Amino acid sequence: MDLEGRIEESKSNDSLSVHPIRGQYGNIREQQRELFSYLEHKRKSVQNYMIDVSAGWVFYTPLMAVEEHFSGMSASEIFSSRAISATQGIFTTKPYTSFREFWAKYWQVDKKSSFLKKFAIDTSATLLFQIPLYSSILFFSGASIEEAEKAMPLGLCIGLGTGRMYGSFLDHWRKRMGGKKPLFEE
């Protein structure tokens, strides 16, 4: 439809919400505001994503490297395991943090809940989500069956012992880095 036809259609419909020439927005400033709002939302999404991924890297990389050393893995296997874990973290951290938030909401646990409830949420979320991922990391890093038999129970113990610590660390990291609102911290 040509421009004159659009103008006539606009007059006949008495539609003021959509300008016949400029489209949905009445002027350039409204378009700019909408674009900048969209870009800011995307920037915050990427920032929150990177904050969550970096929290996992900072917290778990040294801890699991030590655990793997005591499981008898060689330095090259540990390096491979940590490299795979860091790469895997790029893809799994966001689903984990989303699962943690869902899990807390499902069980109605929030920042005012007791330490025991927060502990139960963070520990169970860690075990349900991270332990299957850890077994795949060990497999792809070249760990032998014997090394994996030692590493998995130790990994399970670490998950039990650090689930709440990691949840608290993640909340603190988010707050310190100016990211998404912490789940349990004020």
Side-chain angles (χ1 to χ4, degrees):
M1 176 181 282
D2 66 349
L3 181 59
E4 290 173 7
R6 288 175 56 190
I7 293 172
E8 280 304 313
E9 183 181 324
S10 173
K11 287 180 184 176
S12 66
N13 291 337
D14 287 354
S15 173
L16 298 176
S17 63
V18 177
H19 192 278
I21 298 171
R22 296 187 201 122
Q24 180 179 357
Y25 303 100
N27 63 40
I28 298 293
R29 288 181 196 250
E30 288 177 29
Q31 289 176 348
Q32 287 174 334
R33 259 190 302 254
E34 186 69 21
L35 176 63
F36 289 141
S37 174
Y38 172 78
L39 292 174
E40 179 63 15
H41 171 73
K42 288 297 180 187
R43 184 196 66 77
K44 284 184 179 184
S45 294
V46 170
Q47 177 186 6
N48 288 328
Y49 172 80
M50 291 308 300
I51 289 170
D52 285 355
V53 169
S54 65
W57 288 343
V58 169
F59 187 85
Y60 277 114
T61 299
L63 183 66
M64 297 311 288
V66 169
E67 180 267 332
E68 290 164 352
H69 171 73
F70 286 112
S71 295
M73 291 173 67
S74 69
S76 64
E77 289 172 330
I78 293 170
F79 179 78
S80 178
S81 169
R82 296 302 88 219
I84 291 169
S85 177
T87 304
Q88 189 180 54
I90 293 170
F91 303 104
T92 61
T93 299
K94 186 62 180 163
Y96 168 74
T97 57
S98 295
F99 176 71
R100 178 180 177 247
E101 290 165 7
F102 159 79
W103 202 235
K105 189 174 186 177
Y106 180 81
W107 291 105
Q108 300 173 346
V109 177
D110 59 15
K111 61 185 169 191
K112 295 176 185 168
S113 297
S114 70
F115 172 81
L116 189 57
K117 287 182 179 182
K118 293 175 189 175
F119 177 85
I121 290 299
D122 281 332
T123 301
S124 61
T126 298
L127 293 177
L128 288 170
F129 202 89
Q130 300 294 351
I131 293 301
L133 294 175
Y134 185 52
S135 62
S136 68
I137 290 169
L138 290 174
F139 175 78
F140 287 111
S141 68
S144 69
I145 296 295
E146 294 80 23
E147 291 167 337
E149 286 176 345
K150 291 178 187 174
M152 282 304 296
L154 284 173
L156 182 64
C157 291
I158 288 173
L160 284 169
T162 64
R164 178 65 194 129
M165 286 191 303
Y166 176 66
S168 182
F169 177 80
L170 176 63
D171 287 341
H172 176 73
W173 191 260
R174 284 177 169 179
K175 187 175 181 179
R176 184 175 184 105
M177 300 301 237
K180 188 176 184 178
K181 181 180 167 192
L183 184 59
F184 293 139
E185 275 191 19
E186 307 235 1

